[in-house]
Amino acid sequence: MPNDEVSLAKLQTFLTSSKRLFLFAGAGVSMRAGLPSWEALLKKLAESIRSSDALSANLITQLCADKKFEAAASAYFNSEYITEQKKYSAIQELLSQFDAAPLVPLMKLPFQSAITTNFDKVLNDATAMARQIAPIDFYRGSGHLTSACFERNFFIARIHGRIENPETIVLGKEAFKTVAEDSQYVDILKFVFTRTQLLFVGFSFWDPAIQKVLKTTNKLFGPMTEGAHLALLPENAAGEMVSILNRLNIDVIRYSSDNNHAALWKLIEDASTQLSTPTGASPQPTDFDPLASTRSFLAATYARSAVAPNFESLKLVTLEGIVLSLIQSAGQGGISAQSLGHSLAKHLAQSEKEVSPIVGGAIKALLEAKLVRKQKLDQGERYFSVGSSTDSPLQSAIGELSQAVINRLAVTHGILATREMRDCICGAIEEIILERGWDLGASFIRRIPAPAATIEPHIRNHGLFVSGKVIEAISLAMQSLFDRPSAREAELLTSLGRISFAVCLLTAAPKTALTQALILPQRLYLDASILLPAIVPGHPHHKIYRQAIAKLVSAAKGARLSVEVVAYWGFLNEVVSHKRLAKFEAAQLNEDFKAIARREAVFYGTQNQNVYVGAYMNALNGGSTESFEAFLANVAPYENEGELAKYTESLGIHVFKRLVLEGPKFAQISLELQKAYAGDLAKQKTAMLIEHDAVQLSALDHDQEKSVRSIWVTADRRLRQKLELGKYSSLTGKMLDGVGLAQLVDLLTGLNPNSTSFAALLWSVEASDASEQIKNYLISIALEKYDEGIAMALPALLDKTVESIEVEARRQGVTLDPKAEGERGALLNLVGSFENSFFEAMAETIAKRKREESGGKD
């Protein structure tokens, strides 16, 4: 009998000392909630089919008696006398009735997240009861399981599928074989075994799911798993399991299995009493930094890219940077190719055989770039890094961006940077770059738009000796850098954003990134939000999208494949309507059109205007003198869907009508969308738009059934959110936004478009408040006439002007944070009415400053 006090002390030490604590829950956890064991579940399933298939029912019962649960599950699914729907319905019924309350003490323990091989919702409900939070739900079959590797909030990952989508569950020999070859499955196992510390609860030797997890992990990584894990294991567990646990650095606490494992749950309840997480809390790791392991890779990859600026593939240059970092970390003794392969295999969740050509190609490229040298020693050939450090290119880039923030700080706030402020800015920028790469990697894997980059928390983190007022000023100056970079600043931000994204992607989800996520699509569908900028020259994203599409087609030809770029006819109406709206706006404003459109472009950015108007503003900024009508005639020679279809065909984008695209599940998908949007009272979607989406989604679904690799590029994030909650959630894995398209092509072939527009795609930041937005607008128009040296006189004048605009806005009832188009126009008119007085006051301020500098002489 184990010593209960010793076991409790050991468990408490593990729970309190772990850097990133995860629960790994097995079937025994669900049994605690009243659900059946593997054996009981399979026997009940046998009885459910006995009247239709007695032979299979008998076989299942016999296999259960022999403890051959995988084979028993296969026999159930192989029954030819029961429909698939009835098989899944029986499983759902048996796993839907439970009581999660007995698991509250377990879920009150300070876990950061939980992984489980179970299909049911027990842990989700127990977490809600214990913490009053709804955990993020990841599951196999959604297409987004790897997203868990990036998630920082509390989540539950059901790695063998979930009962709400029974077709995703892993049950039976064939299913277990398939899942072991799934790149997302491999990545999630690598993540939890190497980046977290796991507490295993509810497993026994007869649990086929945990057997597969342990054997798959042992085969892939063996003793390379770095985490120090702990398993609560019954005394009757077989020696083979203990042997595998030891090999995977999993320590064991033994307990008596008597009375339905009463000792286990007493142990957990005792630990929970002392270590419970407060209600409503979602604990975050205190000293675990998911970005720490990527920093050295980022520095080395940036150094590699600096000597290969026009690289053909972001993936390849990043792999070479990772190899360079591994060579550097070997130190003065150098490293052999074999050791490099061993280390790279560990980082990329690949076998040494799979990474061998990567190592060979990287070494060759690094030798040619003179970043690495080779030396023959007694123990064989070894490789050494050349130079003292590869940090210098990265630090130089960060230093340049930091100086840009310092310059803005002086201009906008009249603050000259101290040494502490400079250190704060440099540290924050490096941290923001790493975090942005992490967020971009997560959004790429999950196929959703990346969240806006956060700034102020990082400045506060590095500004311990800087006042709160100055931190606020630095935050605003840094936001100005990301919002309105110069050409050189945009070049640096683009390069750093691309490389940080690739490094984070390849280190957090390597198997998925190298296999599943980087496969050339056979069909690329474009919705109106992507088609518009892709076909309208002058739009900030036009060159990126056109180059991305062209490179994708070219890469396919190089691989003797083909990519068909398609737009659904139903989306063309949105494009034509958008052009009509632009012409109407110009006609309504008449002589004021250019002035107001220019003001809107400076205030919000041309990417946030009507596509045609924004493109026209960029044309004017580039020196064009043509009228808006002439501009439209040149760049948009179409007035209706038929003319637009011919135009897009001339650009290599095929237009398909509904009868060609619509898949067999259109009706079901349309019904699901109608139900999803019916409750969305705040933002109703028209029946026509729902129909268009359903046609496109049914085409994706049909492609999937025909094994045609297809991607739909769309900026509709609301549609993604609706789909994720329904039965067609797997289709979101086939959707990308414009940023995702650029990232995919960049990884495969490399992109070299205009840096300013690429930076805008990668570096969206949280919007500033209305006052700061007005201030930034005034600074922008001021710097068009005066240089930054003269503009040092601006801070006091800016504050005074903004204050006057705010007072007048309140008097007129104009909102400073407009949502509707009409509200935006009212604000722009109001701000425009202050421009002349602002320039007059500015000229007077500058004249006064010059008189003071000349000693009062004119």
Side-chain angles (χ1 to χ4, degrees), residues 2 91 110 166 186 293 362-364 368 427 562 721 760:
I91 298 173
V186 170
S293 61
I363 287 175
K364 180 181 179 182
E368 290 175 355
S562 64
Q721 292 168 351

Side-chain angles (χ1 to χ4, degrees), residues 489-506:
E489 293 159 2
E491 181 184 339
L492 290 172
L493 288 172
T494 296
S495 179
L496 290 166
R498 293 165 72 194
I499 289 169
S500 182
F501 153 68
V503 166
C504 289
L505 179 70
L506 286 169

Side-chain angles (χ1 to χ4, degrees), residues 6 36 82 143 146 159 173 175 254 259 459 572 606 620 646 694 769 824:
V6 172
I82 309 296
T146 309
I159 63 173
K173 281 187 175 181
R254 296 293 195 105
N259 300 320
I459 296 172
L572 300 190
T606 55
L620 294 181
K646 290 181 181 178
D769 61 32
R824 178 188 280 195

Side-chain angles (χ1 to χ4, degrees), residues 598-639:
R598 173 185 167 278
R599 189 176 299 135
E600 182 184 37
V602 175
F603 205 91
Y604 295 106
T606 55
Q607 71 274 15
N608 296 315
Q609 288 181 286
N610 175 289
V611 169
Y612 296 98
V613 175
Y616 181 53
M617 289 299 102
N618 284 331
L620 294 181
N621 291 336
S624 174
T625 58
E626 65 183 345
S627 67
F628 187 47
E629 292 78 7
F631 173 78
L632 288 179
N634 287 330
V635 305
Y638 42 81
E639 297 299 332

Side-chain angles (χ1 to χ4, degrees), residues 672-684:
E672 286 291 318
L673 290 183
Q674 289 173 45
K675 290 190 292 185
Y677 282 106
D680 194 352
L681 300 178
K683 295 181 179 179
Q684 285 287 354

Side-chain angles (χ1 to χ4, degrees), residues 31-32 57 142 148 164 174 221 279 306 384 407 497 518 594 603 609 633 638 654 662 755 852:
M31 290 168 63
R32 175 70 171 168
S142 65
E164 299 96 305
E174 296 78 7
F221 314 115
T279 297
F384 301 81
N407 293 341
L518 298 184
K594 282 187 181 180
F603 205 91
Q609 288 181 286
Y638 42 81
H654 305 298
E662 183 179 300
S755 293
E852 291 172 350

Side-chain angles (χ1 to χ4, degrees), residues 29-68:
V29 171
S30 293
M31 290 168 63
R32 175 70 171 168
L35 289 175
S37 66
W38 270 87
E39 183 172 3
L41 173 66
L42 290 165
K43 285 182 177 179
K44 289 181 179 181
L45 291 175
E47 294 308 310
S48 73
I49 66 172
R50 185 171 295 282
S51 61
S52 301
D53 189 357
L55 187 62
S56 292
N58 290 334
L59 176 59
I60 294 168
T61 303
Q62 182 58 52
L63 289 169
C64 285
D66 296 336
K67 304 298 183 184
K68 295 180 179 180

